[in-house]
Amino acid sequence: MKPAPFLYVAPRTVEEAVALLQEHGTDAKLLAGGQSLMPLINMRLARPEVLVDLNEVRTLDYITEVDGEVRIGAMTRQRAVERSPFVATHVPLLSEALRWVGHPQIRNRGTIGGSLAHADPSAELPAVAAALDAVFVARGPDGVRLLAPGEFFVSFLTTALEPAEMLVEVRFAVPSAPAGCAFLELSRRHGDFALVGAAAVVRLDSGRCRDVRLALTGVGPTPVRVREVEEALLDQPPTEARLADLSRGIGPRLDPVSDIHASAEYRRHVAGVLARRALAAAAARAQAVGGGEDSPS
């Protein structure tokens, strides 16, 4: 497999990268970790005329806290985020989900921004971003834009980034109180793309849910936030019976596609099962960190 000819450029600053995107428009592709882009180029499924390599833009590699937010540069390697004690403490759902991303060799090279900008609806990080109401920071010739997940993810492999814009940072709010979280997915083999995944966050107070987040992957053109379940659990104890009842109503609300890996009906069923299990695990962990006296089961 050999790629079609292209011009290779390696800017050293965000400003240089944006200028190249402005100059070449849709003929240019950004290269971050390359875990998704390079196979497409080698198989000639993608034929950029200009490849803009961001690996020399060192200012986009960082993890820091500013104004109550964990801010992660777009070129930060997934493995660095996965291994960060700081992220594990403040954004534990992100740490947990990253363990499901491919294999260590993939995470050693893959970047946080690259995965999110690729916007694969089967990927783990978009679901985490949706569940945590992450903020996407886009930089273009006209300055900076802040986008919510519902704005950033548009459809399959499509984001709201303009041709001359690039994702430079993702921000996660530091929770004001302890919570439990869980990420689960089902794939044919470990490291394969998930058929369905579920990201859940539960915060308890005296055994009742005070905050609930649930997002699914692999069941639509973008990550799906299941707000009906979130709202139904507020101020309620997350009992096994209540979670089972709510999870049965998830599948009919979804509109996944059928493909060679799984039918739409199967994905709906698995989504309900994983949602129930993820919520139960998150609630149990919330209980363990001091979410109240009542058992979630």
Side-chain angles (χ1 to χ4, degrees):
M1 296 183 291
K2 295 183 179 180
F6 58 81
L7 173 66
Y8 173 85
V9 287
R12 293 181 176 273
T13 68
V14 172
E15 292 77 13
E16 290 176 12
V18 169
L20 287 165
L21 292 177
Q22 189 175 21
E23 177 183 356
H24 298 285
T26 56
D27 292 330
K29 283 286 188 183
L30 293 174
L31 173 64
Q35 303 304 289
S36 299
L37 179 60
M38 292 313 299
L40 294 174
I41 290 178
N42 285 337
M43 291 185 287
R44 301 200 176 196
L45 296 174
R47 296 191 178 203
E49 293 187 10
V50 182
L51 192 63
V52 182
D53 187 347
L54 297 178
N55 284 276
E56 293 300 319
V57 186
R58 306 299 172 84
T59 57
L60 294 182
D61 182 1
Y62 58 85
I63 303 170
T64 188
E65 181 180 3
V66 179
D67 297 331
E69 295 177 322
V70 174
R71 300 185 177 184
I72 302 176
M75 287 299 294
T76 309
R77 305 295 172 182
Q78 295 165 4
R79 191 68 162 165
V81 178
E82 177 189 357
R83 289 181 163 183
S84 167
F86 179 75
V87 173
T89 298
H90 296 294
V91 197
L93 181 63
L94 179 58
S95 295
E96 182 167 349
L98 278 166
R99 300 179 195 130
W100 294 87
V101 176
H103 301 281
Q105 296 92 330
I106 298 293
R107 303 194 294 273
N108 283 339
R109 189 65 185 170
T111 64
I112 294 297
S115 177
L116 291 168
H118 187 54
D120 189 323
S122 296
E124 294 81 3
L125 298 191
V128 171
L132 297 180
D133 289 322
V135 176
F136 296 90
V137 182
R139 177 76 177 273
D142 297 324
V144 171
R145 285 200 299 155
L146 304 182
L147 300 168
E151 299 169 311
F152 185 79
F153 298 112
V154 175
S155 187
F156 293 101
L157 307 178
T158 305
T159 71
L161 292 172
E162 298 292 339
E165 282 186 316
M166 57 184 288
L167 179 65
V168 295
E169 182 180 86
V170 59
R171 301 174 180 176
F172 300 92
V174 176
S176 58
C181 67
F183 188 95
L184 297 173
E185 69 176 45
L186 177 67
S187 60
R188 295 174 65 87
R189 296 173 302 179
H190 176 68
D192 285 0
F193 283 109
L195 300 178
V196 180
V201 179
V202 174
R203 184 170 293 107
L204 298 176
D205 183 6
S206 300
R208 294 178 179 270
C209 297
R210 298 308 179 199
D211 186 22
V212 181
R213 312 288 183 88
L214 177 63
L216 302 174
T217 182
V219 293
T222 64
V224 176
R225 183 81 176 263
V226 193
R227 297 188 184 275
E228 298 90 342
V229 171
E230 296 176 353
E231 294 167 0
L233 278 172
L234 283 180
D235 299 321
Q236 301 295 323
T239 63
E240 183 177 338
R242 179 170 282 108
L243 293 180
D245 181 59
L246 289 172
S247 68
R248 282 191 288 269
I250 291 176
R253 296 190 179 99
L254 304 175
D255 188 24
V257 298
S258 294
D259 56 28
I260 61 172
H261 302 295
S263 67
E265 180 181 3
Y266 181 73
R267 291 180 193 272
R268 291 189 189 98
H269 173 73
V270 172
V273 172
L274 290 186
R276 173 179 58 79
R277 293 178 181 176
L279 286 168
R285 292 172 181 176
Q287 182 70 31
V289 296
E293 298 179 356
D294 299 332
S295 170
S297 59

